[in-house]
Amino acid sequence: MQKPSIPKGTRDFLPQETAKRNYIFNTISDVFKLFGFEQIETPAMENLSTLLGKYGDEGDKLLFKILNSGDYLSEVSDENLHSRNLQRLTGKISEKGLRYDLTVPFARFVAQHRNEISFPFKRYQIQPVWRADRPQKGRYREFFQCDADVVGSDSLLNEVELVQIIDEVYRRFGINVCIKINNRKILNGIAEVIGESDKIIDITVAIDKLDKIGLEKVNEELAFKGISREAVELLQPIILLEGANKEKIATLRHILSKSEIGQKGIDELEFILNKTELLPVRSTVELDLTLARGLNYYTGAIFEVKASDVEMGSISGGGRYDNLTGGFGLPDVSGVGISFGADRIFDVLNQLNLYPKELLSSTMVMVANFGEKEIEYCLPFVSKLRQSGISTELYPEAAKMKKQMAYADSKKIPFVIIAGENEMADHKVTLKNMTTGEQLSIHPEEIVEKIQR
Amino acid sequence: MQKPSIPKGTRDFLPQETAKRNYIFNTISDVFKLFGFEQIETPAMENLSTLLGKYGDEGDKLLFKILNSGDYLSEVSDENLHSRNLQRLTGKISEKGLRYDLTVPFARFVAQHRNEISFPFKRYQIQPVWRADRPQKGRYREFFQCDADVVGSDSLLNEVELVQIIDEVYRRFGINVCIKINNRKILNGIAEVIGESDKIIDITVAIDKLDKIGLEKVNEELAFKGISREAVELLQPIILLEGANKEKIATLRHILSKSEIGQKGIDELEFILNKTELLPVRSTVELDLTLARGLNYYTGAIFEVKASDVEMGSISGGGRYDNLTGGFGLPDVSGVGISFGADRIFDVLNQLNLYPKELLSSTMVMVANFGEKEIEYCLPFVSKLRQSGISTELYPEAAKMKKQMAYADSKKIPFVIIAGENEMADHKVTLKNMTTGEQLSIHPEEIVEKIQR
């Protein structure tokens, strides 16, 4: 007999967990819709030609690949087979892979359906993705991403709206957050003025680690990457820049006075911050020059969100990227987007105990079962309860009362209706409030009203 | 340049289609919850040991298998490799597969989490499944199933509730349906009295085709399967039984008088039909002896639902099965369930034009963009609109009015707010109703009220 199990890094979601996750997805989804984003879905499987080469060599390795159906060896020559050349063999026996993120399938979607959608196209997407990463605490091989993007519009108003979306989502969750913002053009400007334009990736990757490894190690890494001592020296005041956003911007304007792209980045940043100030945004919005984000495709604003009251990595992130769909034959389409990390939000809401109480119970009323005659007495008002939108269960067997009550307890059902011989004789029912223990003898017609109150 | 495409048999869902599908899932989900069912989710990937052997040889072939990560050939001997024995090789290079239905993962789930759930366990599950079937019209390689099951209760009240659930779901959709009901025990009884007990599967499979191929071909198939002429003769009145449910039952009682299991089946059927009559069920509920359903694991009641006003195969189906979880080390757990076919319901709602009109547009208000100053004038009331729950878009660029209006049209946005220089000077906005063409000049504070009306 096999012991039932699931692949490592994957999860089952029990009713309570599913209810909590639905609450997260619905909250995010409601806010996306409030800002005019429309939902799309793409298939779990994409052609490997769509996915390969989009996530770097490491990403290619982490793609889950689907074995071709039927005689998958028919196209494989003996020579290919015997050589055990994995890469070549994989190309022959597998042509599909599981979605690795939502961005590449979205780019493919936009290019493929360009004539069916209107630009600017504001879409959101909430679907699972799969990565053959080594599983560890908080890292899964199947997890959900919740992304909203606008493509086909260069306007910085989109960035402003994304800040509002972040603010509104976390306001609804009751999570206080700090929205960190930066701009890739500023980082490019910095690389330019210190004379290391070609090393911008190395510099941003190193700066990104400041919080984790400290200044000294960042400087070591910069030196190790071949950045000159002078340049590292010039970088110091920039990495350690402090104060209010306005002060930082003033200093940056000065330092980057000779970099056109740097000034452009500051302009963009200032626009977003100024417009945000006109709006009822409650979250802290902070310019953070150490924010670089690993992904190399960002070209303008970049965002990251941290929960203020718990220790946790970033719970949302995003930014502006140019030429998203170029690889699919649709060049010069700019986009900007934000992604919410459902798994981390799940943990933050648990830690801060912020889930709404209604999520704890799904059924409002259980009708105890005393046998066939009693059940027939109950059927009409059970229908009425449901017609009134009150979720109601009939305990299916005439089991011992203790067992039935234990079931109601385990499902945290707040009301139990007892209708045995006595109640039937009096044309009444007993309504038990499972929280207070209070019992009321009432007419069946009164149940709906009592419960709705 | 690659032309963007997706694997055959899979689909992208554009915003409109996604909205329609969400409407279907939410409607079904709401009704499941009203009856006390709780949602669970299981991973897309299951161990192949969980899936293989559960769907017959044909099913095993149709499973999508995932190539092991890393050096998947490391455990394959040269001999195994060179022999090109697909079955053996597949077992070495793949240990996971994509979910083929929701029932087997659910059985695995119940066995695995038996100590974390309370029985009777009423769960529902709405997730995609994958089958490497040959794609054709209406048949996809990725599609959603919407299942509700009760496990751990033998009570026929569960069957009665499933009939109510079917009725309520289709009442909400506005689709008139006929709920066909039968019982595997009756079919077993029939096989018994005609002396062909061991051929029950062949008989039910043949009977199931009556609608499609007619009586003559059914009889031919029965004969071909080795059922004696006498037995085929005895089957005729049973296959062609007509009249009201009560008449059919009376006739069956007589014909099956010598079969204990047959009588048991009739008792069960009668209980369900009698209780259903006490309830406000609007759909036709019809005993259909030709209903056998292909799946061999049903042991009691079986259901199938047909839309009355369109030509379409069954749009829901289900039944009672014993020993669902036996294969996973948890014997003697009976279950009963129902599955809604989302793809067919999607088509029926389209054909009958039954989707609610609200689904056609997602955004309620678009604010036209005349430039930065005008946008700053708009930002405060745009925030107010959203705070009032009115989905609002700011057109991100100060594009030509014609282009902005075309965008509003394409997204079927019912209201556009125009606030140019003139409006600003008067402290007003122009609210345009895109359906009637009517334009109102109003104060920004009045917008919410006007639109809510």
Side-chain angles (χ1 to χ4, degrees):
Chain A
M1 183 60 62
Q2 55 178 318
K3 195 164 172 268
S5 69
I6 50 179
K8 64 178 176 181
T10 69
R11 291 166 288 175
D12 280 328
F13 292 95
L14 287 140
Q16 187 87 141
E17 293 159 339
T18 307
K20 287 179 174 180
R21 271 157 44 96
N22 283 343
Y23 165 70
I24 293 171
F25 295 147
N26 290 339
T27 302
I28 294 171
S29 180
D30 285 347
V31 176
F32 287 162
K33 284 191 271 190
L34 198 57
F35 283 76
F37 287 76
E38 296 182 302
Q39 192 174 9
I40 66 159
E41 294 202 338
T42 62
M45 298 186 281
E46 293 275 351
N47 293 321
L48 280 177
S49 56
T50 298
L51 302 175
L52 285 168
K54 305 299 195 300
Y55 308 105
D57 287 349
E58 195 52 30
D60 284 354
K61 279 188 204 142
L62 299 183
L63 288 172
F64 278 110
K65 299 171 188 81
I66 314 268
L67 202 53
N68 292 342
S69 310
D71 180 5
Y72 54 84
L73 287 182
S74 64
E75 307 253 307
V76 183
S77 66
D78 280 343
E79 200 193 324
N80 259 335
L81 196 59
H82 300 179
S83 75
R84 290 178 174 256
N85 178 326
L86 280 182
Q87 209 177 347
R88 197 175 309 157
L89 187 62
T90 306
K92 297 279 182 193
I93 67 176
S94 166
E95 58 185 25
K96 292 183 286 293
L98 292 181
R99 186 168 52 214
Y100 181 86
D101 72 357
L102 301 181
T103 306
V104 169
F106 174 53
R108 192 266 311 144
F109 178 101
V110 170
Q112 187 174 335
H113 300 284
R114 65 187 86 173
N115 298 321
E116 300 158 72
I117 57 183
S118 11
F119 294 95
F121 183 51
K122 301 170 80 170
R123 88 84 171 79
Y124 77 91
Q125 197 170 348
I126 299 181
Q127 291 194 277
V129 302
W130 294 269
R131 297 181 183 179
D133 246 323
R134 189 181 300 274
Q136 50 176 253
K137 193 178 175 321
R139 193 205 281 162
Y140 305 100
R141 294 184 146 195
E142 174 181 67
F143 59 98
F144 270 77
Q145 292 193 332
C146 314
D147 285 16
D149 292 81
V150 187
V151 293
S153 164
D154 294 325
S155 165
L156 292 166
L157 283 174
N158 297 303
E159 276 84 339
V160 175
E161 298 226 310
L162 291 178
V163 171
Q164 288 177 271
I165 286 176
I166 295 168
D167 182 64
E168 179 63 16
V169 164
Y170 288 109
R171 190 190 66 73
R172 292 186 182 202
F173 284 138
I175 299 175
N176 297 317
V177 297
C178 174
I179 304 172
K180 299 188 172 194
I181 178 167
N182 196 5
N183 195 297
R184 271 293 169 106
K185 294 190 179 78
I186 295 179
L187 295 174
N188 288 337
I190 293 170
E192 202 173 273
V193 298
I194 63 169
E196 299 276 8
S197 278
D198 56 327
K199 296 240 165 61
I200 178 63
I201 302 298
D202 289 336
I203 293 173
T204 55
V205 167
I207 292 182
D208 199 19
K209 296 182 185 165
L210 182 66
D211 270 0
K212 283 184 205 135
I213 63 175
L215 182 63
E216 199 172 327
K217 296 262 181 196
V218 168
N219 288 340
E220 273 174 30
E221 179 163 332
L222 289 168
F224 179 76
K225 291 288 182 184
I227 290 157
S228 71
R229 191 176 298 184
E230 296 76 13
V232 173
E233 207 56 49
L234 281 166
L235 272 175
Q236 302 307 299
I238 291 171
I239 301 176
L240 296 172
L241 202 68
E242 284 205 286
N245 292 336
K246 282 196 201 319
E247 297 169 56
K248 288 182 185 167
I249 287 177
T251 313
L252 276 176
R253 280 256 182 242
H254 182 70
I255 300 176
L256 302 183
S257 59
K258 293 205 180 108
S259 163
E260 199 182 326
I261 192 162
Q263 294 295 326
K264 181 103 191 347
I266 298 171
D267 290 344
E268 291 183 7
L269 189 72
E270 224 171 7
F271 181 95
I272 299 166
L273 291 172
N274 287 344
K275 287 291 173 293
T276 304
E277 273 180 17
L278 298 177
L279 292 161
V281 167
R282 302 156 24 124
S283 313
T284 315
V285 182
E286 184 190 308
L287 162 56
D288 182 354
L289 275 189
T290 72
L291 173 64
R293 291 186 66 77
L295 288 167
N296 295 332
Y297 56 72
Y298 291 121
T299 51
I302 42 184
F303 304 103
E304 217 164 86
V305 180
K306 292 229 173 191
S308 311
D309 308 320
V310 279
E311 281 297 318
M312 181 80 66
S314 84
I315 53 180
S316 297
R320 161 87 53 187
Y321 40 82
D322 292 335
N323 203 23
L324 174 72
T325 54
F328 298 103
L330 183 63
D332 303 324
V333 174
S334 177
V336 59
I338 176 85
S339 183
F340 286 85
D343 287 303
R344 286 188 173 170
I345 294 171
F346 185 94
D347 290 342
V348 173
L349 291 172
N350 265 334
Q351 280 185 46
L352 299 176
N353 196 19
L354 288 174
Y355 286 105
K357 292 211 176 47
E358 310 88 82
L359 290 185
L360 295 175
S361 64
S362 51
T363 299
M364 186 61 82
V365 183
M366 185 190 91
V367 177
N369 188 330
F370 290 89
E372 195 171 343
K373 219 168 17 181
E374 289 85 350
I375 283 301
E376 286 197 3
Y377 174 72
C378 295
L379 286 180
F381 66 76
V382 169
S383 287
K384 277 229 180 82
L385 280 165
R386 288 174 180 152
Q387 277 161 19
S388 311
I390 296 169
S391 149
T392 306
E393 282 186 59
L394 207 52
Y395 194 86
E397 342 261 346
K400 288 204 175 121
M401 204 38 45
K402 199 179 158 188
K403 192 177 174 192
Q404 298 193 35
M405 287 301 186
Y407 174 84
D409 270 337
S410 75
K411 277 186 93 169
K412 299 193 175 62
I413 298 175
F415 295 99
V416 169
I417 288 172
I418 295 153
E421 265 183 29
N422 296 341
E423 282 87 355
M424 279 175 73
D426 298 345
H427 293 284
K428 293 214 165 177
V429 301
T430 300
L431 177 67
K432 178 167 181 174
N433 182 321
M434 297 292 281
T435 320
T436 64
E438 185 195 16
Q439 301 204 142
L440 285 177
S441 173
I442 57 174
H443 281 282
E445 299 80 43
E446 298 174 275
I447 305 172
V448 171
E449 194 207 331
K450 286 280 177 223
I451 284 167
Q452 279 174 339
R453 222 191 300 153
Chain B
M1 182 59 62
Q2 55 179 317
K3 196 165 170 269
S5 68
I6 48 178
K8 64 178 177 182
T10 70
R11 291 166 290 175
D12 280 328
F13 293 94
L14 287 140
Q16 188 87 141
E17 294 159 340
T18 307
K20 287 179 174 179
R21 271 158 43 98
N22 283 343
Y23 165 69
I24 293 172
F25 296 147
N26 291 338
T27 303
I28 293 171
S29 179
D30 285 347
V31 175
F32 287 162
K33 283 191 271 190
L34 197 58
F35 284 76
F37 287 77
E38 296 182 306
Q39 191 174 9
I40 67 158
E41 295 201 339
T42 62
M45 297 186 282
E46 292 276 351
N47 293 322
L48 280 177
S49 57
T50 298
L51 302 175
L52 286 168
K54 305 298 195 299
Y55 308 105
D57 287 349
E58 194 53 31
D60 284 354
K61 280 188 202 141
L62 299 184
L63 288 171
F64 279 110
K65 298 172 189 82
I66 314 269
L67 203 52
N68 291 343
S69 310
D71 181 4
Y72 54 83
L73 287 182
S74 64
E75 307 254 305
V76 183
S77 65
D78 280 344
E79 199 193 325
N80 258 336
L81 197 59
H82 301 177
S83 74
R84 290 177 175 258
N85 179 327
L86 280 183
Q87 209 177 347
R88 197 175 310 157
L89 187 61
T90 306
K92 297 280 181 192
I93 67 176
S94 167
E95 58 186 24
K96 293 184 285 292
L98 292 181
R99 186 168 53 215
Y100 182 87
D101 72 357
L102 301 180
T103 306
V104 169
F106 175 52
R108 191 266 311 144
F109 177 100
V110 169
Q112 188 174 334
H113 300 285
R114 65 186 85 172
N115 297 322
E116 300 158 72
I117 57 183
S118 11
F119 294 96
F121 183 51
K122 301 169 79 168
R123 88 82 172 80
Y124 78 91
Q125 198 170 349
I126 300 181
Q127 291 193 278
V129 302
W130 295 270
R131 296 180 184 181
D133 247 322
R134 191 183 299 274
Q136 50 177 251
K137 194 181 174 321
R139 193 204 279 163
Y140 303 100
R141 293 185 145 193
E142 174 181 68
F143 58 97
F144 271 76
Q145 292 192 333
C146 314
D147 286 16
D149 292 80
V150 188
V151 293
S153 163
D154 295 325
S155 165
L156 293 166
L157 283 175
N158 297 303
E159 276 85 337
V160 175
E161 298 226 309
L162 291 178
V163 171
Q164 288 176 271
I165 286 176
I166 295 168
D167 183 65
E168 179 63 14
V169 164
Y170 289 108
R171 189 189 67 73
R172 292 184 182 204
F173 283 137
I175 299 175
N176 297 317
V177 296
C178 174
I179 303 172
K180 299 188 172 195
I181 179 168
N182 195 6
N183 194 299
R184 271 293 169 102
K185 295 192 178 79
I186 294 179
L187 295 174
N188 288 338
I190 293 169
E192 202 173 274
V193 298
I194 63 170
E196 299 276 9
S197 277
D198 56 328
K199 297 238 166 61
I200 178 63
I201 302 298
D202 290 336
I203 293 172
T204 56
V205 166
I207 292 181
D208 199 19
K209 296 182 183 164
L210 182 67
D211 271 359
K212 283 184 204 136
I213 63 175
L215 182 63
E216 199 172 326
K217 295 262 180 196
V218 168
N219 286 340
E220 273 174 30
E221 179 162 333
L222 288 168
F224 178 77
K225 292 289 183 184
I227 290 158
S228 70
R229 190 177 297 184
E230 295 77 9
V232 173
E233 207 57 49
L234 280 166
L235 272 175
Q236 302 306 299
I238 291 171
I239 301 176
L240 296 172
L241 201 68
E242 285 206 284
N245 292 335
K246 281 196 200 320
E247 296 169 55
K248 288 181 184 168
I249 286 177
T251 312
L252 276 175
R253 281 254 183 243
H254 181 71
I255 300 176
L256 301 183
S257 58
K258 292 206 179 109
S259 163
E260 198 182 325
I261 191 162
Q263 294 295 326
K264 180 102 191 346
I266 298 171
D267 289 345
E268 291 183 7
L269 188 72
E270 226 172 5
F271 181 94
I272 299 167
L273 291 172
N274 287 345
K275 289 289 173 293
T276 303
E277 274 179 17
L278 299 176
L279 292 161
V281 167
R282 302 154 26 121
S283 313
T284 317
V285 182
E286 184 190 309
L287 164 56
D288 181 355
L289 275 189
T290 72
L291 173 65
R293 291 187 66 77
L295 289 168
N296 295 332
Y297 56 72
Y298 290 121
T299 50
I302 40 184
F303 303 103
E304 216 163 86
V305 180
K306 291 228 175 193
S308 310
D309 307 320
V310 279
E311 282 296 319
M312 181 78 66
S314 83
I315 53 180
S316 297
R320 160 83 58 184
Y321 40 82
D322 291 335
N323 203 23
L324 174 72
T325 54
F328 298 102
L330 184 63
D332 304 324
V333 174
S334 177
V336 60
I338 175 85
S339 184
F340 286 85
D343 287 304
R344 286 186 172 171
I345 293 171
F346 185 94
D347 291 342
V348 173
L349 291 172
N350 265 334
Q351 280 184 45
L352 299 177
N353 196 19
L354 288 174
Y355 286 105
K357 290 207 180 49
E358 310 88 81
L359 290 185
L360 295 176
S361 64
S362 51
T363 298
M364 185 61 81
V365 184
M366 184 189 91
V367 177
N369 188 330
F370 290 89
E372 193 170 343
K373 219 170 14 179
E374 289 84 351
I375 284 301
E376 286 198 2
Y377 175 70
C378 297
L379 286 179
F381 66 76
V382 168
S383 287
K384 278 229 179 82
L385 280 165
R386 288 176 179 150
Q387 278 162 20
S388 311
I390 296 169
S391 147
T392 307
E393 282 185 59
L394 207 52
Y395 194 87
E397 343 262 345
K400 288 202 175 124
M401 205 36 48
K402 200 180 157 187
K403 192 178 173 191
Q404 298 194 34
M405 286 302 185
Y407 175 84
D409 269 337
S410 75
K411 278 187 92 169
K412 298 194 175 63
I413 298 174
F415 295 99
V416 169
I417 288 173
I418 295 154
E421 266 183 29
N422 296 341
E423 282 87 356
M424 279 176 71
D426 298 345
H427 294 284
K428 293 214 164 174
V429 301
T430 301
L431 177 65
K432 178 168 181 171
N433 182 321
M434 297 292 281
T435 320
T436 64
E438 186 194 17
Q439 300 204 141
L440 285 178
S441 172
I442 56 174
H443 281 281
E445 300 80 45
E446 298 174 273
I447 306 173
V448 170
E449 193 207 332
K450 286 281 176 219
I451 284 167
Q452 279 174 340
R453 223 191 298 152

